[in-house]
Amino acid sequence: MLETDASRACGQILQVDVVEGPLLTRVVLETLLLLGRRLVGVEERVEHLLLLGREVAVKVLRDVNDVKLRAAFVDEARLAAALDHPGCVPIHDAGADFLVMRLVRGQTFSAWLVHHQPIAAHLADAIEILIAVTDAVGHAHAHDIVHRDLKPGNILIGEGPGEVMVADWGLAVRVVDGHVNLESTGACAGTPSYLPPEAARGQAELLGTASDVFLLGAILHRVLSGRPPWPGKATEAVRAAAQYDRIPLAQLAPDAPAALVALA
């Protein structure tokens, strides 16, 4: 989970509660625009562990009575906890309605791309970031876990040297006997502008590790061209993804290295 300068600047303390929990007594600081965003059905917090003297990121399920959302939340906790890799945000603790993770200070890859223009001057650094992401995703695939929502906004660039992490495993699924379990998420799930064609078509039988490989290529497309494969409103993006209707990357980024264009 990420804490950015913008989220700290926008934060306004609404309440300070002392909470007894599995990670010892902690002070909960609930802020406006916490971590810069809100997720459907989920609230994100920064918590300070009093006895340990450290801050962590906490995802809290708002409606514990939503059976489907609760099942997806538990799935996320279990799948994320199964990953032990420097490129995956580590899980410290979890329960039926909360998830405690390392708080990563830095910026998303989306913000990094905005601040590093023209991209040609920073392309080598961007590729190094993508290589690190690919390594983390490869680790997940080795454990039969598919992320399904890889995008620049879910890649965290920490303040430490070479610190690159893949976050937000909320749509992740496990591959069992060549098939993914979609009971709590559904086939057509993800970010429309980066959606793999098989997801846009609702072809559950085709979802798998190859879907993540497509998403890695889609991120590279964004790096090279400045736009995702399927720009526009959500409905337009899903339709374009389902029809694989996009402008050739070579036209959008004529000066990009041909070898990279071929990968995207």
Side-chain angles (χ1 to χ4, degrees), residues 224-244:
L224 298 176
S225 69
R227 54 181 269 181
W230 328 114
K233 297 181 179 179
T235 53
E236 297 170 351
V238 172
R239 185 181 303 110
Q243 299 173 353
Y244 204 79

mmCIF file of all heavy atoms in Angstrom, residues 224-244:
data_model
loop_
_atom_site.group_PDB
_atom_site.id
_atom_site.type_symbol
_atom_site.label_atom_id
_atom_site.label_comp_id
_atom_site.label_asym_id
_atom_site.label_seq_id
_atom_site.Cartn_x
_atom_site.Cartn_y
_atom_site.Cartn_z
ATOM 1 N N LEU A 224 5.348 3.490 -23.875
ATOM 2 C CA LEU A 224 5.874 3.908 -25.183
ATOM 3 C C LEU A 224 5.009 4.953 -25.886
ATOM 4 O O LEU A 224 5.538 5.831 -26.584
ATOM 5 C CB LEU A 224 6.023 2.686 -26.092
ATOM 6 C CG LEU A 224 7.009 1.605 -25.617
ATOM 7 C CD1 LEU A 224 6.989 0.414 -26.563
ATOM 8 C CD2 LEU A 224 8.418 2.174 -25.500
ATOM 9 N N SER A 225 3.692 4.855 -25.706
ATOM 10 C CA SER A 225 2.785 5.735 -26.464
ATOM 11 C C SER A 225 2.173 6.848 -25.633
ATOM 12 O O SER A 225 1.616 7.798 -26.184
ATOM 13 C CB SER A 225 1.652 4.905 -27.082
ATOM 14 O OG SER A 225 0.782 4.422 -26.072
ATOM 15 N N GLY A 226 2.219 6.708 -24.301
ATOM 16 C CA GLY A 226 1.589 7.707 -23.453
ATOM 17 C C GLY A 226 0.115 7.464 -23.226
ATOM 18 O O GLY A 226 -0.566 8.281 -22.594
ATOM 19 N N ARG A 227 -0.413 6.342 -23.705
ATOM 20 C CA ARG A 227 -1.831 6.023 -23.540
ATOM 21 C C ARG A 227 -2.008 4.513 -23.417
ATOM 22 O O ARG A 227 -1.193 3.743 -23.923
ATOM 23 C CB ARG A 227 -2.651 6.535 -24.720
ATOM 24 C CG ARG A 227 -2.147 6.060 -26.067
ATOM 25 C CD ARG A 227 -2.946 6.588 -27.226
ATOM 26 N NE ARG A 227 -4.036 5.704 -27.585
ATOM 27 C CZ ARG A 227 -4.890 5.929 -28.586
ATOM 28 N NH1 ARG A 227 -4.792 7.032 -29.306
ATOM 29 N NH2 ARG A 227 -5.844 5.070 -28.853
ATOM 30 N N PRO A 228 -3.070 4.072 -22.750
ATOM 31 C CA PRO A 228 -3.316 2.637 -22.638
ATOM 32 C C PRO A 228 -3.834 2.078 -23.959
ATOM 33 O O PRO A 228 -4.194 2.847 -24.858
ATOM 34 C CB PRO A 228 -4.378 2.549 -21.538
ATOM 35 C CG PRO A 228 -5.108 3.849 -21.648
ATOM 36 C CD PRO A 228 -4.061 4.867 -22.021
ATOM 37 N N PRO A 229 -3.913 0.772 -24.095
ATOM 38 C CA PRO A 229 -4.386 0.193 -25.359
ATOM 39 C C PRO A 229 -5.808 0.587 -25.729
ATOM 40 O O PRO A 229 -6.120 0.756 -26.908
ATOM 41 C CB PRO A 229 -4.299 -1.322 -25.102
ATOM 42 C CG PRO A 229 -3.309 -1.471 -24.017
ATOM 43 C CD PRO A 229 -3.473 -0.256 -23.150
ATOM 44 N N TRP A 230 -6.675 0.721 -24.701
ATOM 45 C CA TRP A 230 -8.077 1.022 -24.969
ATOM 46 C C TRP A 230 -8.472 2.325 -24.266
ATOM 47 O O TRP A 230 -9.095 2.300 -23.202
ATOM 48 C CB TRP A 230 -8.981 -0.111 -24.473
ATOM 49 C CG TRP A 230 -8.400 -1.487 -24.540
ATOM 50 C CD1 TRP A 230 -8.085 -2.295 -23.489
ATOM 51 C CD2 TRP A 230 -8.065 -2.233 -25.713
ATOM 52 N NE1 TRP A 230 -7.577 -3.483 -23.929
ATOM 53 C CE2 TRP A 230 -7.545 -3.485 -25.292
ATOM 54 C CE3 TRP A 230 -8.143 -1.974 -27.079
ATOM 55 C CZ2 TRP A 230 -7.112 -4.462 -26.169
ATOM 56 C CZ3 TRP A 230 -7.708 -2.944 -27.972
ATOM 57 C CH2 TRP A 230 -7.205 -4.167 -27.516
ATOM 58 N N PRO A 231 -8.141 3.479 -24.817
ATOM 59 C CA PRO A 231 -8.495 4.751 -24.171
ATOM 60 C C PRO A 231 -9.986 5.042 -24.312
ATOM 61 O O PRO A 231 -10.685 4.389 -25.088
ATOM 62 C CB PRO A 231 -7.652 5.768 -24.944
ATOM 63 C CG PRO A 231 -7.500 5.154 -26.302
ATOM 64 C CD PRO A 231 -7.415 3.676 -26.082
ATOM 65 N N GLY A 232 -10.463 6.011 -23.564
ATOM 66 C CA GLY A 232 -11.869 6.400 -23.667
ATOM 67 C C GLY A 232 -12.671 5.977 -22.451
ATOM 68 O O GLY A 232 -12.131 5.490 -21.463
ATOM 69 N N LYS A 233 -13.974 6.164 -22.540
ATOM 70 C CA LYS A 233 -14.861 5.797 -21.442
ATOM 71 C C LYS A 233 -14.892 4.285 -21.267
ATOM 72 O O LYS A 233 -14.541 3.530 -22.169
ATOM 73 C CB LYS A 233 -16.267 6.333 -21.709
ATOM 74 C CG LYS A 233 -16.342 7.858 -21.772
ATOM 75 C CD LYS A 233 -17.768 8.324 -22.021
ATOM 76 C CE LYS A 233 -17.844 9.852 -22.068
ATOM 77 N NZ LYS A 233 -19.229 10.335 -22.332
ATOM 78 N N ALA A 234 -15.354 3.868 -20.092
ATOM 79 C CA ALA A 234 -15.314 2.446 -19.744
ATOM 80 C C ALA A 234 -16.024 1.566 -20.764
ATOM 81 O O ALA A 234 -15.477 0.549 -21.205
ATOM 82 C CB ALA A 234 -15.921 2.243 -18.356
ATOM 83 N N THR A 235 -17.228 1.939 -21.152
ATOM 84 C CA THR A 235 -17.981 1.105 -22.098
ATOM 85 C C THR A 235 -17.277 1.025 -23.451
ATOM 86 O O THR A 235 -17.234 -0.036 -24.072
ATOM 87 C CB THR A 235 -19.397 1.655 -22.290
ATOM 88 O OG1 THR A 235 -19.333 3.046 -22.659
ATOM 89 C CG2 THR A 235 -20.208 1.504 -21.016
ATOM 90 N N GLU A 236 -16.709 2.151 -23.882
ATOM 91 C CA GLU A 236 -15.979 2.171 -25.154
ATOM 92 C C GLU A 236 -14.715 1.317 -25.063
ATOM 93 O O GLU A 236 -14.361 0.611 -26.011
ATOM 94 C CB GLU A 236 -15.612 3.610 -25.515
ATOM 95 C CG GLU A 236 -16.816 4.517 -25.742
ATOM 96 C CD GLU A 236 -16.415 5.978 -25.851
ATOM 97 O OE1 GLU A 236 -15.228 6.297 -25.579
ATOM 98 O OE2 GLU A 236 -17.277 6.801 -26.207
ATOM 99 N N ALA A 237 -14.036 1.394 -23.920
ATOM 100 C CA ALA A 237 -12.805 0.638 -23.747
ATOM 101 C C ALA A 237 -13.079 -0.862 -23.742
ATOM 102 O O ALA A 237 -12.352 -1.638 -24.371
ATOM 103 C CB ALA A 237 -12.123 1.057 -22.439
ATOM 104 N N VAL A 238 -14.124 -1.280 -23.045
ATOM 105 C CA VAL A 238 -14.465 -2.706 -22.995
ATOM 106 C C VAL A 238 -14.837 -3.213 -24.385
ATOM 107 O O VAL A 238 -14.434 -4.307 -24.795
ATOM 108 C CB VAL A 238 -15.618 -2.956 -22.004
ATOM 109 C CG1 VAL A 238 -16.099 -4.407 -22.092
ATOM 110 C CG2 VAL A 238 -15.175 -2.635 -20.591
ATOM 111 N N ARG A 239 -15.591 -2.416 -25.123
ATOM 112 C CA ARG A 239 -15.974 -2.809 -26.480
ATOM 113 C C ARG A 239 -14.740 -2.935 -27.371
ATOM 114 O O ARG A 239 -14.598 -3.896 -28.139
ATOM 115 C CB ARG A 239 -16.938 -1.783 -27.074
ATOM 116 C CG ARG A 239 -17.486 -2.189 -28.453
ATOM 117 C CD ARG A 239 -18.419 -1.141 -29.023
ATOM 118 N NE ARG A 239 -19.537 -0.862 -28.135
ATOM 119 C CZ ARG A 239 -19.706 0.258 -27.453
ATOM 120 N NH1 ARG A 239 -18.798 1.228 -27.569
ATOM 121 N NH2 ARG A 239 -20.739 0.434 -26.677
ATOM 122 N N ALA A 240 -13.826 -1.977 -27.265
ATOM 123 C CA ALA A 240 -12.604 -2.018 -28.070
ATOM 124 C C ALA A 240 -11.752 -3.227 -27.700
ATOM 125 O O ALA A 240 -11.174 -3.888 -28.574
ATOM 126 C CB ALA A 240 -11.811 -0.731 -27.873
ATOM 127 N N ALA A 241 -11.674 -3.535 -26.407
ATOM 128 C CA ALA A 241 -10.890 -4.692 -25.968
ATOM 129 C C ALA A 241 -11.492 -5.988 -26.499
ATOM 130 O O ALA A 241 -10.775 -6.884 -26.962
ATOM 131 C CB ALA A 241 -10.822 -4.721 -24.441
ATOM 132 N N ALA A 242 -12.820 -6.100 -26.430
ATOM 133 C CA ALA A 242 -13.488 -7.313 -26.904
ATOM 134 C C ALA A 242 -13.275 -7.527 -28.399
ATOM 135 O O ALA A 242 -13.138 -8.662 -28.869
ATOM 136 C CB ALA A 242 -14.974 -7.236 -26.584
ATOM 137 N N GLN A 243 -13.213 -6.429 -29.139
ATOM 138 C CA GLN A 243 -13.029 -6.501 -30.592
ATOM 139 C C GLN A 243 -11.573 -6.397 -31.014
ATOM 140 O O GLN A 243 -11.253 -6.495 -32.191
ATOM 141 C CB GLN A 243 -13.833 -5.385 -31.266
ATOM 142 C CG GLN A 243 -15.332 -5.478 -31.019
ATOM 143 C CD GLN A 243 -16.087 -4.279 -31.556
ATOM 144 O OE1 GLN A 243 -15.492 -3.291 -32.008
ATOM 145 N NE2 GLN A 243 -17.408 -4.339 -31.506
ATOM 146 N N TYR A 244 -10.698 -6.228 -30.024
ATOM 147 C CA TYR A 244 -9.268 -5.989 -30.251
ATOM 148 C C TYR A 244 -9.089 -4.881 -31.295
ATOM 149 O O TYR A 244 -8.355 -4.994 -32.280
ATOM 150 C CB TYR A 244 -8.540 -7.248 -30.722
ATOM 151 C CG TYR A 244 -7.058 -7.213 -30.419
ATOM 152 C CD1 TYR A 244 -6.590 -7.501 -29.145
ATOM 153 C CD2 TYR A 244 -6.123 -6.839 -31.390
ATOM 154 C CE1 TYR A 244 -5.239 -7.442 -28.848
ATOM 155 C CE2 TYR A 244 -4.775 -6.771 -31.105
ATOM 156 C CZ TYR A 244 -4.340 -7.077 -29.830
ATOM 157 O OH TYR A 244 -3.009 -7.007 -29.532
#
